[in-house]
Amino acid sequence: MEPENNTQISEFILLGLAEEGELQPLIYGLFLCMYLITLLGNLLIILAVISDSHLHTPMYFFLSSLSFVDICFTSTSIPKMLVNIQTQKKVITYADCITQMFFLLLFAGLDDLLLSVMAYDRFVAICHPLHYTMIMNPRQCVLMVLVSTIISSLHSLLQSLMVLRLSFCTDLEIPHFFCELDQVVHRACSDTLFNDVVIYLAAVLLAIGPLAGIVYSYSKIVSSIRAISSTYGKNKAFSTCVSHLLVVSLFYCTCIGVYLSSAATHNSHSTAAASVMYMVVTPMLNPFIYSLRNKDMKSALKRLLGKKTSKVPIVMRFKICL
């Protein structure tokens, strides 16, 4: 018989990144700056894609979707952390903790799935350029984002419902700056075996699955690029994938690094500090990665900011002809 949720608690305590009071102003200023840069950078990407007709293509549609998800992802945890530091309070209500955890899982999963969708877009563009406009039509692009959202929503809903069935007693301190799923589950005083199994299975399906799709897509892309005779053609094809590869590498390397370090050290505060990489740093760097190496995006941003350019804007082709 499954245990009923007889939770009597009303709040958790988020211990944050450091217990030393003198470090709190430094942490507050650092996170505030990173959060504002994340908001500004990703918002500029979205506005540039919306305002520039040259960027109304599948690749930039997925990029603007990723930027929106990154804004939502960081906004679910960083504002609460800043408020807690400002007010010198570390509490978060039980309902708010579950809600925060739901949206964190939702946007983290959606981030992962969108990176896989973007890899598929590059695969079709390079390996099947003549069929690109037919395969990656607007309806198909919206459908792929919608399916990714549904999958991630179902996962986050499942995990949240699994937490609601747990009972919590007295160990309510979470050594993190947000309600991380694994930390919340292991604060429970009831049996968490079923939760652990669901967490690990979901991690395999929602992390390994998209990663396998990305690896497969790029294995085919590399094969197609190697078959191109001209060096110019190879460089042109590869240049469309560099930014995405950098973002994928940054996302997965930081996530894997966090969980490997947590398994090795068992130091919760170290894990919380390491999680800053994929919670804040990665969403902050994504706009820079996609804009600095992309001439079309840089031109669109200059036009958006009202700067005059001496060169005629480059028209973004809807398909790549190799």
Side-chain angles (χ1 to χ4, degrees):
M1 182 175 179
E2 293 184 355
E4 297 180 357
N5 182 16
N6 57 358
T7 303
Q8 301 297 322
I9 66 168
S10 60
E11 60 189 25
F12 288 99
I13 299 175
L14 298 175
L15 298 181
L17 293 173
E19 297 179 358
E20 294 81 1
E22 60 272 13
L23 292 179
Q24 297 303 317
L26 176 62
I27 294 175
Y28 180 86
L30 181 62
F31 272 78
L32 179 61
C33 290
M34 290 193 295
Y35 180 60
L36 292 177
I37 293 172
T38 301
L39 290 182
L40 179 61
N42 284 287
L43 186 60
L44 284 176
I45 294 291
I46 295 172
L47 293 176
V49 172
I50 293 174
S51 63
D52 198 319
S53 60
H54 302 143
L55 303 183
H56 292 176
T57 64
M59 181 174 73
Y60 292 107
F61 169 70
F62 294 134
L63 175 58
S64 60
S65 300
L66 182 67
S67 294
F68 175 75
V69 171
D70 282 342
I71 289 175
C72 296
F73 183 51
T74 55
S75 297
T76 55
S77 59
I78 304 305
K80 176 61 178 175
M81 176 190 180
L82 296 175
V83 169
N84 283 359
I85 295 176
Q86 184 69 26
T87 60
Q88 296 298 309
K89 295 180 179 179
K90 298 183 178 182
V91 299
I92 182 171
T93 65
Y94 177 78
D96 287 346
C97 185
I98 300 299
T99 303
Q100 184 189 68
M101 186 175 60
F102 172 83
F103 284 108
L104 282 171
L105 291 171
L106 169 63
F107 294 121
L110 190 52
D111 211 334
D112 187 23
L113 292 170
L114 281 177
L115 290 176
S116 179
V117 169
M118 294 171 75
Y120 176 73
D121 171 69
R122 293 299 85 206
F123 161 73
V124 177
I126 293 176
C127 299
H128 305 283
L130 299 179
H131 302 285
Y132 182 68
T133 55
M134 180 180 65
I135 298 175
M136 301 303 294
N137 59 74
R139 181 177 177 275
Q140 180 70 13
C141 293
V142 173
L143 182 62
M144 293 172 75
V145 173
L146 181 60
V147 170
S148 299
T149 304
I150 292 173
I151 292 174
S152 186
S153 298
L154 291 175
H155 167 249
S156 59
L157 180 61
L158 172 63
Q159 298 288 8
S160 300
L161 292 176
M162 291 289 294
V163 173
L164 287 174
R165 64 182 285 275
L166 297 175
S167 298
F168 297 88
C169 301
T170 57
D171 186 13
L172 306 179
E173 293 185 346
I174 300 176
H176 229 303
F177 61 92
F178 62 93
C179 288
E180 199 266 337
L181 174 62
D182 189 63
Q183 294 288 346
V184 173
V185 167
H186 289 97
R187 300 281 84 75
C189 55
S190 55
D191 182 35
T192 62
L193 177 61
F194 192 37
N195 293 74
D196 291 333
V197 171
V198 173
I199 290 173
Y200 289 128
L201 286 177
V204 171
L205 293 176
L206 291 179
I208 306 299
L211 180 59
I214 293 172
V215 171
Y216 174 80
S217 296
Y218 275 102
S219 66
K220 294 295 183 180
I221 288 173
V222 170
S223 298
S224 297
I225 291 177
R226 291 179 62 184
I228 301 174
S229 57
S230 68
T231 303
Y232 173 77
K234 289 182 178 180
N235 293 336
K236 183 180 178 182
F238 185 72
S239 64
T240 66
C241 305
V242 171
S243 297
H244 180 256
L245 273 174
L246 289 174
V247 171
V248 168
S249 301
L250 186 62
F251 179 83
Y252 277 100
C253 288
T254 52
C255 289
I256 293 172
V258 166
Y259 286 102
L260 286 180
S261 64
S262 65
T265 63
H266 301 286
N267 189 321
S268 299
H269 283 290
S270 297
T271 303
S275 65
V276 173
M277 288 299 297
Y278 71 87
M279 284 290 301
V280 186
V281 177
T282 299
M284 180 182 69
L285 293 180
N286 284 354
F288 295 98
I289 293 174
Y290 275 107
S291 60
L292 292 178
R293 292 187 55 87
N294 191 307
K295 294 181 180 179
D296 295 325
M297 181 59 68
K298 284 192 289 187
S299 298
L301 288 172
K302 287 180 181 179
R303 287 192 290 271
L304 180 66
L305 297 174
K307 294 181 179 180
K308 296 182 179 180
T309 56
S310 58
K311 296 182 180 180
V312 178
I314 302 173
V315 178
M316 180 65 193
R317 291 179 289 275
F318 196 72
K319 63 180 180 179
I320 300 176
C321 297
L322 302 176

